[in-house]
Amino acid sequence: MSNLRRSARLAAVAAAGALVLAACGGGDDDSGGGTSAGAAPAFNISTTTIINPNTKPGGTLKLGAGSDADSWDPARAYYGFVWNLQRLYARTLMGFAPDPKVAATVVPDLATAPGEASADFKTWKYTLRDGLKYDDGSPITSKDIKYAIERGYATDVISGGPTGYFLCLLDTCTDGSTTTYKGPYKDKSEPKVDGQPSMETPDDKTITFHLSGPYASFDYLMAMGPSSPIPQAKDDGENYTQHPVSSGPFKITQYDADTGITFERNTNWDQATDQIRKPLLDKVTIDYITNLDDLDARLKAGTLDARVDADLQPTFQNEALADPNLKKYVDNPIDGSLRYLGVSPDVKPLDNVHCRRAVFYAINKEAWRLAYGGAVTGAIAPSGTPAGLPGHDEKANMYPNGADFTGDVTKAKDELNQCGQPNGFSTNMAYVNQGTGPARSAAVQEALAKAGIKVTLKAGEADTYYSQYIGTTDSVKNNKLGIMDAGWGADFPTTNGFWYSIAHGKANLPSPAADSNYVNLNDPKVNQLLDQALTAPKDQWDSIGRQVDDQIMSDAVYVPVMWTKSVYWRNARLTNVYSTNFFGLYDWVNIGTTDGA
């Protein structure tokens, strides 16, 4: 998910971020909390238990965010915090279980059961539940799901989001990445595989997918936003983000991209049709507050219940962790995300692999982590794959840059000699102009200068950074963004769920469409390994995942900096608090309040 696409902290989560299994969710837990059915507030227990369990209905959840969503259109969103908020208003065929103990498990949502798969995993059939309705009372049909996926093919209109997973899987791509079908706005046909429609809807409750290749984890794709139904009559293309139709228990009633958004109950949603959501709240409000220290001050004062898009800033974070009376309202889960620097081969002289490797050796990862908030925010990453994913290896380190990860200037200068730049070179670095973004980028600038690499910092805005600034090839080239500060978390807990969107050649989309493969990686070996992972038995997943990581590190396009942890705050009045999905975020749709206010 990008994150800031996929994980919440990264945006991108992410966007966005990603794997919080019960087995790894209790790190740094000094509260003595266990895995009971419910518990009083304590530090870092939300990934293994439900805090303040209660069934009292009513109340308003008051959230804050540093910026708007990348999109409220379920097909276009890639920020992790937005994926999480989609549980309020956008249902999908499958969804993540509302249980911290099985956080990475997908279960039926709109569908009556998981997909019925053929032996070769190329055909998948789903049946919809009875009684499904939109917020206007009209019925949800299988044809609405088919249409929702089709509109993602109009990449000139529906840009961003996890569209890369669907395009060539459900259509014929003559060159491996360019679809034949162009979306319903311009193309009156439909996506096809082997000359036949890839999606069949013989009746209003049945949808069958015919894939171009095997995809054993297809149920995970059906838990993504693009499978959320959209009635064609309500779709106005790129403007759909302003007023998406609701299929969930809440609907959007107020929205201003500069100030915030309000969700209120959808009276046409039926609890009998939904096994994932058991909402108690009447309303959810999100205020956009660009001054993040002011946002934290409101959290401490209790006028906001939580921050929805990222974790605490260093000042309040340090105060909260040092004071036991505040610390019991803090969670610090492993969120399964990677913070990294994208190093673009599209920008000279970084088209030379040795110039890129010089960046790998020169970077001071510890200084970057200190700027981000210190050890509580994560562990230094010597390779790419985060914990909980196939191929994770804490000892793999292709580019050792000093015992404390503070940089190896000698090795960096050796690489500069090999790339024909013995005196160094100049390049631009993109970063988010918010929170710790300026401090992190300054740490990179200072470290690389020691090796003779002059970095000019180029700021981007939080709400458009991934979708428009570093997300399109034209922007990267036109702004000469040689280095890009970014983050990523798994879209789902497999090798493809983490690497596909940022590393597979098929995930590249031509400008003006946005994608998450910011460095335009298209390595045939990486592509082959990712394809192989889709059909391999589980006992081969670690081996394939490790090979994917090694090959991407060899390509020297992603400098792994830190495997992240989050620092989240929850108001004492919140009930039924737990972390769900697989990126460590609170499940807002099932939270309540003690005061009903």
Side-chain angles (χ1 to χ4, degrees), residues 216 495-496 528-536 541 544-545 548:
T495 294
N496 271 272
Q528 183 272 323
L529 286 166
L530 288 173
D531 292 343
Q532 180 186 348
L534 294 175
T535 58
W541 286 10
I544 295 172
V548 169

Side-chain angles (χ1 to χ4, degrees), residues 433-499:
N433 190 26
Q434 190 180 59
T436 64
R440 299 196 310 265
S441 58
V444 174
Q445 183 184 51
E446 180 180 355
L448 268 56
K450 295 177 181 179
I453 302 172
K454 182 180 178 181
V455 175
T456 299
L457 303 180
K458 299 286 186 177
E461 297 302 318
D463 56 346
T464 58
Y465 181 75
Y466 287 91
S467 58
Q468 298 177 29
Y469 194 43
I470 69 172
T472 68
T473 299
D474 285 352
S475 177
V476 171
K477 290 181 178 179
N478 293 341
N479 291 293
K480 297 180 180 179
L481 303 178
I483 301 173
M484 296 164 278
D485 184 272
W488 190 254
D491 290 335
F492 43 91
T494 69
T495 294
N496 271 272
F498 182 74
W499 286 113

Side-chain angles (χ1 to χ4, degrees), residues 405-429:
F405 301 101
T406 55
D408 190 324
V409 173
T410 300
K411 287 186 177 180
K413 288 185 175 181
D414 179 61
E415 293 292 343
L416 289 172
N417 283 326
Q418 294 184 62
C419 79
Q421 302 285 338
N423 297 317
F425 59 87
S426 298
T427 194
N428 295 333
M429 177 180 171

Side-chain angles (χ1 to χ4, degrees), residues 155-227:
T155 56
D156 57 331
V157 178
I158 310 299
S159 61
T163 53
Y165 289 105
F166 297 84
L167 300 183
C168 292
L169 191 62
L170 291 168
D171 191 42
T172 301
C173 292
T174 54
D175 62 356
S177 61
T178 304
T179 61
T180 302
Y181 178 63
K182 301 303 179 186
Y185 308 123
K186 296 179 180 179
D187 192 339
K188 299 307 178 183
S189 62
E190 59 185 319
K192 295 180 178 180
V193 170
D194 296 329
Q196 299 298 317
S198 59
M199 291 180 281
E200 294 181 321
T201 53
D203 56 58
D204 285 348
K205 291 185 61 180
T206 305
I207 184 166
T208 301
F209 298 90
H210 302 282
L211 312 183
S212 61
Y215 210 103
S217 52
F218 191 70
D219 275 340
Y220 283 100
L221 298 191
M222 293 299 100
M224 288 182 166
S227 85

